[in-house]
Amino acid sequence: RAREHLYRRHALPIECPRCCKSFGSEEDCREHLQALEACEIRKQTRREGFNKDQETKLRSKRRSPMPLTEEEKWKAIWRTLFPSEAKDDIPSPCRSIS
């Protein structure tokens, strides 16, 4: 469920790296990039979400030699989304109810 939520709500759109225009597909973006007249270069703004490389890693079906626990799966997801965070700083996926 967590992965499906991430794909639906947090994946960054496909966009032109020059003008930051969003596209519905990789093909549309590729056609835009190959246009004879180049688009205007615009400063990119920091957007929250994950990119295509991270999505590919999340969708990877690599099997480990031993089955992973739910906690290990969560940590793998977290490390994919936040690679620069310290391993000791990975939060629990469960909220504590007070």
Side-chain angles (χ1 to χ4, degrees):
R1 285 186 176 192
R3 288 177 199 242
E4 287 305 317
H5 168 80
L6 290 170
Y7 302 143
R8 281 193 311 272
R9 301 289 183 190
H10 300 286
L12 291 172
I14 299 164
E15 62 183 20
C16 173
R18 291 177 53 89
C19 69
C20 303
K21 179 180 176 182
S22 294
F23 294 92
S25 71
E26 294 283 346
E27 179 65 27
D28 291 343
C29 185
R30 195 170 20 262
E31 287 177 14
H32 167 78
L33 290 169
Q34 293 176 344
L36 294 177
E37 190 173 322
C39 56
E40 181 181 332
I41 296 176
R42 294 201 173 116
K43 183 179 177 185
Q44 293 185 337
T45 58
R46 174 77 174 121
R47 297 174 65 159
E48 288 195 18
F50 59 90
N51 62 34
K52 281 292 182 190
D53 291 337
Q54 289 170 309
E55 182 176 352
T56 300
K57 289 177 185 175
L58 288 172
R59 290 188 184 274
S60 172
K61 299 290 185 192
R62 284 180 281 160
R63 298 273 181 205
S64 66
M66 297 177 57
L68 298 176
T69 65
E70 292 301 313
E71 181 179 6
E72 290 168 329
K73 289 176 188 176
W74 167 254
K75 288 180 178 183
I77 291 170
W78 186 269
R79 285 190 301 270
T80 299
L81 297 175
F82 305 100
S84 60
E85 292 286 321
K87 290 183 180 182
D88 296 338
D89 292 341
I90 298 174
S92 168
C94 301
R95 293 183 187 168
S96 59
I97 301 173
S98 305

